[in-house]
Amino acid sequence: MRRRLHLDAVAAAAPLLLLLHLLLPLAAAATAAAPPPPSPPNVTAAMSKGGCKAFADLIAASPDAASTYASAVAGGITVFCPTDDAVRAFLPKYKNLTADGKAELLLFHAVPVYYSKGSLKSNNGVMNTLATDGAAKNYNFTVQNEGEAVTIKTAASATVARVKYTVVDSDPVAIFAVDEVIEPVELFKPAPAPTPAPSPAPAAADAPKGSSSKPAHHPAPVVADAPGPAATDSSPPADQKKEAKKSAAAAPPSRVVRWLAAAFAVVAVASTLG
């Protein structure tokens, strides 16, 4: 009786054993064919290919910065890498920093959160960085949007760093190239406040219509020549006076004329009597 029950149990399990025999190879094949999960990208290599080689080389030369970048990738990271031209212009300042200061500056250019370009535009405000260490070291900057442009500003610089283009944007890593090295106020003096523009001078009272602020120019009065003495009929011109004098000199005096006339009359009478 027991033997019969055993045979019945084996017969009942046979289909199940056959099914397992068929499925095990298929499961093994599926497991072998499944690709392994992609490894996080090499951040410094991506920066080197995307126009930020000088910045990537500085990270590679700083053990603290290199290890922090490598460990932060798995949890998500957004890097603002300065272009090669921006790094070359900044090198004199960079060389004056201590080893710790250099590492902190390099970590200051990354945020421990993945932000796509679209989400970056909707997250204006203050952001912590890989260099932030509680309240002791703030190391944060302000992200602002100006139209389509994304800018980064700190109190240590009067200029802003602008995002020029996207190097990598694939979760969990985003890398954006910026045109300036971002300076933390913890390492550099605050930028001087801009000088306020002088207040405009108070406007003069409106002048009446048609008037001018310049003094009116009046032409000097024209003074006419004073009239000479009025001429009279009894005062002939100088030429007439000269002619009259000549005539008077040529003519005999009136008395002589009368004397001659009387003499002729006497002669005439005498002739008649004789």
Side-chain angles (χ1 to χ4, degrees), residues 31 80 89 128 163 166 177 225-226 255:
T31 302
F80 300 94
N128 291 334
V163 173
T166 301
D225 292 339
R255 292 180 179 179

Coordinates of all heavy atoms in Angstrom, one line a residue, residues 31 80 89 128 163 166 177 225-226 255:
T31 N 19.0 35.4 -18.0 CA 19.9 36.1 -17.1 C 21.2 36.5 -17.7 O 21.8 37.5 -17.5 CB 20.1 35.2 -15.8 OG1 18.9 34.9 -15.2 CG2 21.0 35.9 -14.8
F80 N 29.1 72.8 -13.2 CA 29.2 74.0 -14.1 C 30.7 74.2 -14.3 O 31.4 74.8 -13.5 CB 28.6 75.3 -13.3 CG 27.2 75.1 -13.0 CD1 26.7 74.6 -11.8 CD2 26.2 75.4 -14.0 CE1 25.4 74.4 -11.5 CE2 24.8 75.3 -13.7 CZ 24.4 74.8 -12.5
A89 N 42.4 82.5 -17.9 CA 42.4 83.9 -17.4 C 42.4 83.9 -15.9 O 42.9 84.9 -15.3 CB 41.2 84.6 -17.9
N128 N 23.3 74.9 -2.7 CA 24.5 74.4 -2.0 C 25.3 73.7 -3.0 O 24.9 73.2 -4.1 CB 24.1 73.5 -0.9 CG 23.5 74.2 0.3 OD1 23.7 75.4 0.5 ND2 22.6 73.5 1.0
V163 N 25.8 80.2 -18.5 CA 25.8 78.9 -19.1 C 25.9 79.1 -20.6 O 25.0 79.7 -21.2 CB 24.6 78.1 -18.7 CG1 24.6 76.7 -19.5 CG2 24.6 77.8 -17.2
T166 N 25.4 72.9 -23.2 CA 25.3 71.7 -22.5 C 26.4 70.7 -22.9 O 26.5 70.4 -24.1 CB 23.9 71.1 -22.6 OG1 23.0 72.1 -22.2 CG2 23.8 69.8 -21.8
A177 N 28.8 74.0 -19.5 CA 29.9 74.9 -19.7 C 29.6 76.3 -19.4 O 28.5 76.8 -19.9 CB 30.5 74.8 -21.1
D225 N 22.4 161.6 -37.4 CA 23.3 162.8 -37.3 C 22.5 164.0 -37.0 O 21.4 164.2 -37.5 CB 24.0 163.0 -38.7 CG 25.0 161.9 -38.9 OD1 25.4 161.2 -37.9 OD2 25.3 161.7 -40.1
A226 N 23.0 164.9 -36.1 CA 22.3 166.1 -35.8 C 22.1 167.0 -37.0 O 23.1 167.2 -37.7 CB 23.0 166.9 -34.7
R255 N 27.6 205.8 -56.8 CA 27.7 207.3 -56.8 C 28.4 207.8 -58.0 O 28.1 208.9 -58.6 CB 28.6 207.7 -55.5 CG 27.8 207.5 -54.2 CD 28.7 207.9 -53.1 NE 28.0 207.7 -51.8 CZ 28.5 207.9 -50.6 NH1 29.8 208.4 -50.5 NH2 27.8 207.7 -49.5

